[in-house]
Amino acid sequence: MTGSSAVQAGAANAANAVSLGWFCPTLGDTSAFGDPAMTIPQSLEHFERVTIAAEDAGFDYILVPVTPFCWDAWMVASFLLARTKRIKTLVAIKPGYIHPVAQAKMVAALDQLSNGRVLLNLIAGISEKDARAEGQFESKEERYAQLEEEVVLMKRLWTEESVAFDGRFHRVAGPRITPGPAQQPHPPFFLGGGSEQAAEISARHSSEHLFWGDFPERIGEEIMQMRARAARYGREDEIRFSMRLQIICRETEKDAWAAADNLIAGVGEEGKALVKALEGSSGSVANQRQRELSKTVGRKMTPHLWTGITEVRPGAGVAVVGDPSQVARQLQDFIDVGCSGFCLSGYPHHEEAERFGRLVMPLLTARG
């Protein structure tokens, strides 16, 4: 059996089960971090171009990020949903940022207006500095506690009448949520995080738990641990698992590695120091693991898993690099250990989305 045939045969077992998300770069885009001339500035035109490219490629959803450098995720998501027909938006909920009654109304209304195309990304593990800048002076542990309370309250608001709630952070006395969400019982929750609190909230509430790039064997172990955790709440068969990865795919392996090298070439020590400072200020366990991988294994984790992007940007920086069959096989390794989805990105985002849809997606899974 040839390499690509093996990938297709393995993927047949998961036909229509693999969910695929793409990333909307509302913090800006580029094809070379070390060359300012290659920067693509933030604009609605580019956000729309990326999202339509992802929709045309066959992706199921687009992740709209939240960092201090991003445009507001809810406003951008509303615009993108109005400009597309099928693709869903994965939008963040942060504790204390919007009151849960107002948040529940926003989510339900947008879900109705988009015909059920809203997914919810639970986030609490931002840096202390960013949290304080936005008025959150509580510890990370307190923010996770508030996040869970808000999730519990919103789930009740979407599924019950005349909710009376008296919690640590919020009290309500029978608010009305009109309309209710289009998706029943409510839009799905996603959560990506490596801390104990993140894992516990995900086990209780997530439809999809997101892992950042790591060795497939380690991800397989973490999936078994998460399933056991979810089993305590009777959810071991409900929760799914996805990988947050970068993609650098070209028609030949040589061209893919050339694109990878070009992406980070020319970034000076000042730029790399800034990335380290930004990551160092974050309390994110997932961020810490990305730095650990870069330090301990170097740039090549496997023949096709590469940590180079972690040197020039914070966050999820592990990339899959190779020709279409190599990229598909590396992704298949994660499917084989229990992953049923991928949330992907690549530079520049509209071009990489098109390439992935054309070259890799047919090898990875039968899409319907």
Side-chain angles (χ1 to χ4, degrees), residues 213-215 218 276 287-302 305-308 310-311 318:
D214 214 312
F215 295 101
R218 180 178 173 121
K276 289 181 180 178
N287 255 314
Q288 292 168 8
R289 176 60 179 168
Q290 300 290 282
R291 292 199 305 274
E292 177 188 341
L293 285 169
S294 182
K295 289 179 181 178
T296 58
V297 303
R299 287 183 178 173
K300 268 199 173 183
M301 297 168 56
T302 73
L305 281 181
W306 183 67
T307 68
T310 64
E311 299 172 21
V318 172

Side-chain angles (χ1 to χ4, degrees), residues 67-139:
T67 77
F69 309 101
C70 295
W71 286 26
D72 180 78
W74 283 94
M75 296 300 100
V76 172
S78 299
F79 171 82
L80 295 176
L81 287 168
R83 304 292 289 181
T84 53
K85 296 178 180 179
R86 182 193 57 81
I87 199 166
K88 298 183 178 184
T89 56
L90 177 57
V91 197
I93 287 179
K94 296 190 291 185
Y97 198 64
I98 300 174
H99 191 281
V101 173
Q103 186 87 78
K105 290 183 178 183
M106 288 170 56
V107 169
L110 190 58
D111 200 45
Q112 286 285 354
L113 290 167
S114 65
N115 295 316
R117 293 193 286 141
V118 175
L119 307 172
L120 302 172
N121 192 19
L122 301 177
I123 293 178
I126 60 176
S127 73
E128 297 294 328
K129 179 182 177 182
D130 291 345
R132 288 173 176 267
E134 296 180 351
Q136 280 275 313
F137 287 83
E138 294 80 6
S139 67

Side-chain angles (χ1 to χ4, degrees), residues 11-343:
N13 295 326
N16 302 320
V18 177
S19 65
L20 293 171
W22 195 247
F23 181 85
C24 183
T26 62
L27 66 171
D29 206 351
T30 188
S31 57
F33 280 95
D35 185 354
M38 302 308 294
T39 297
I40 302 173
Q42 298 160 301
S43 70
L44 284 178
E45 291 78 14
H46 188 57
F47 306 158
E48 181 180 4
R49 176 167 53 180
V50 170
T51 304
I52 289 176
E55 182 172 62
D56 289 346
F59 285 93
D60 301 300
Y61 65 89
I62 188 101
L63 169 60
V64 186
V66 283
T67 77
F69 309 101
C70 295
W71 286 26
D72 180 78
W74 283 94
M75 296 300 100
V76 172
S78 299
F79 171 82
L80 295 176
L81 287 168
R83 304 292 289 181
T84 53
K85 296 178 180 179
R86 182 193 57 81
I87 199 166
K88 298 183 178 184
T89 56
L90 177 57
V91 197
I93 287 179
K94 296 190 291 185
Y97 198 64
I98 300 174
H99 191 281
V101 173
Q103 186 87 78
K105 290 183 178 183
M106 288 170 56
V107 169
L110 190 58
D111 200 45
Q112 286 285 354
L113 290 167
S114 65
N115 295 316
R117 293 193 286 141
V118 175
L119 307 172
L120 302 172
N121 192 19
L122 301 177
I123 293 178
I126 60 176
S127 73
E128 297 294 328
K129 179 182 177 182
D130 291 345
R132 288 173 176 267
E134 296 180 351
Q136 280 275 313
F137 287 83
E138 294 80 6
S139 67
K140 177 182 172 182
E141 291 73 24
E142 283 291 286
R143 294 198 303 274
Y144 268 118
Q146 184 171 357
L147 177 67
E148 178 160 29
E149 181 175 297
E150 292 180 1
V151 169
V152 169
L153 175 53
M154 285 189 293
K155 287 168 72 173
R156 290 191 60 193
L157 291 171
W158 289 322
T159 58
E160 301 177 22
E161 297 288 337
S162 302
V163 173
F165 187 89
D166 188 0
R168 285 180 58 196
F169 304 95
H170 299 287
R171 297 176 66 189
V172 302
R176 181 180 295 274
I177 307 299
T178 303
Q183 298 175 85
Q184 293 296 314
H186 53 74
F189 292 110
F190 286 53
L191 190 150
S195 70
E196 175 72 16
Q197 278 185 292
E200 194 65 14
I201 293 172
S202 201
R204 289 192 186 113
H205 302 289
S206 290
S207 294
E208 199 111 358
H209 186 83
L210 286 167
F211 296 104
W212 285 10
D214 214 312
F215 295 101
E217 301 79 15
R218 180 178 173 121
I219 295 299
E221 293 170 1
E222 293 186 356
I223 285 174
M224 288 191 291
Q225 293 168 9
M226 279 296 300
R227 282 204 188 280
R229 192 185 292 263
R232 299 203 295 263
Y233 308 103
R235 303 189 67 244
E236 68 271 28
D237 295 326
E238 294 178 31
I239 192 167
R240 290 163 55 95
F241 303 98
S242 289
M243 294 299 302
R244 176 76 182 94
L245 293 164
Q246 304 282 345
I247 296 291
I248 303 175
C249 181
R250 298 295 185 271
E251 295 198 15
T252 70
E253 181 180 9
K254 179 180 178 181
D255 288 345
W257 283 112
D261 292 338
N262 182 67
L263 186 62
I264 65 171
V267 176
E269 291 306 313
E270 184 177 342
K272 293 180 180 180
L274 177 60
V275 171
K276 289 181 180 178
L278 289 170
E279 290 184 329
S281 67
S282 171
S284 165
V285 174
N287 255 314
Q288 292 168 8
R289 176 60 179 168
Q290 300 290 282
R291 292 199 305 274
E292 177 188 341
L293 285 169
S294 182
K295 289 179 181 178
T296 58
V297 303
R299 287 183 178 173
K300 268 199 173 183
M301 297 168 56
T302 73
H304 300 288
L305 281 181
W306 183 67
T307 68
I309 295 175
T310 64
E311 299 172 21
V312 297
R313 70 178 291 276
V318 172
V320 182
V321 184
D323 67 30
S325 64
Q326 291 165 340
V327 169
R329 281 200 299 271
Q330 183 66 76
L331 295 178
Q332 186 67 43
D333 286 345
F334 289 109
I335 294 173
D336 291 343
V337 299
C339 287
S340 54
F342 299 96
C343 183

